[in-house]
Amino acid sequence: MKNFNILIVSAFLLSATIYGQRGPMRERFQEKKEQIKSLKVAFITTELNLTTDEAAKFWPVFNAFEDKQQEIKRQKIKAIFEQSEGNSLDKLSEKDASALVTQMESSEDDLYQLKKKFISNLKGVLPSVKILKLKKAEEQFNKKLLQQFRDKRDKRDNRR
């Protein structure tokens, strides 16, 4: 879970940096993002061994969940960046920092409620064993993705 959080924060920091830039770098980021999404879909499909009927019901629920989850996380990160833009977080007043923490708590609660709803929706689509396999598959995929990122970074660092 800790690695997943590191991956998410890294991805958002990278996306925030790239978001404001135009041109080839942003396009490459979008391509990589789509490539990762395709790999994730293939990985989950294989790990869950979805039937055609299950896949037809599962993917719309999963994609809606992923989209909403990303939206909540983007809003959360955006709030942090807006508050710290031009300033260091150390320079925030206690009142502003407290408001930001409250906003973060709200976002975390929104994510928790979204996950509960997602699992509830999945119960009507997949057997419980496959719901458990989904959680395991997502964690495995994130570990593999993080390891590839680390390997790539280590190769780049060794070339220097």
Side-chain angles (χ1 to χ4, degrees):
M1 189 66 181
K2 186 177 179 182
N3 288 341
F4 177 70
N5 289 336
I6 292 169
L7 178 66
I8 292 298
V9 170
S10 297
F12 278 115
L13 290 175
L14 179 62
S15 66
T17 302
I18 293 172
Y19 183 76
Q21 298 178 3
R22 304 273 187 249
M25 188 171 179
R26 187 170 184 196
E27 289 173 15
R28 273 197 324 262
F29 177 75
Q30 283 302 112
E31 289 172 10
K32 288 290 184 186
K33 188 175 172 182
E34 289 301 317
Q35 184 182 26
I36 290 169
K37 187 174 182 174
S38 296
L39 291 170
K40 185 175 183 177
V41 166
F43 188 83
I44 289 173
T45 300
T46 301
E47 292 297 308
L48 295 184
N49 195 24
L50 295 172
T51 66
T52 305
D53 187 46
E54 287 172 336
K57 294 175 184 173
F58 169 75
W59 287 114
V61 172
F62 183 82
N63 290 333
F65 166 74
E66 287 272 297
D67 291 346
K68 183 64 177 169
Q69 180 176 249
Q70 289 301 326
E71 179 184 324
I72 293 169
K73 288 179 180 180
R74 250 190 314 275
Q75 289 171 352
K76 182 175 151 181
I77 296 297
K78 183 180 176 186
I80 293 170
F81 279 119
E82 286 175 352
Q83 288 293 325
S84 64
E85 193 172 320
N87 297 337
S88 128
L89 289 174
D90 294 331
K91 294 180 182 177
L92 280 177
S93 70
E94 183 59 29
K95 181 181 175 183
D96 290 341
S98 180
L100 189 56
V101 168
T102 300
Q103 192 174 2
M104 287 172 40
E105 288 174 326
S106 177
S107 293
E108 289 297 327
D109 187 52
D110 290 347
L111 285 170
Y112 174 72
Q113 295 303 324
L114 180 65
K115 288 175 186 176
K116 281 181 64 173
K117 183 179 177 187
F118 173 60
I119 290 170
S120 176
N121 290 342
L122 283 180
K123 288 178 181 178
V125 174
L126 295 176
S128 295
V129 170
K130 288 192 178 183
I131 294 172
L132 294 172
K133 285 182 178 183
L134 171 63
K135 179 68 174 165
K136 183 178 178 184
E138 286 184 295
E139 288 179 9
Q140 288 175 329
F141 180 80
N142 290 330
K143 281 181 185 178
K144 285 183 176 190
L145 188 62
L146 186 58
Q147 188 59 51
Q148 287 179 355
F149 176 76
R150 286 180 179 153
D151 292 347
K152 197 174 206 179
R153 182 196 62 207
D154 291 346
K155 284 180 186 177
R156 187 183 65 234
D157 291 346
N158 287 336
R159 282 188 248 146
R160 290 182 186 175

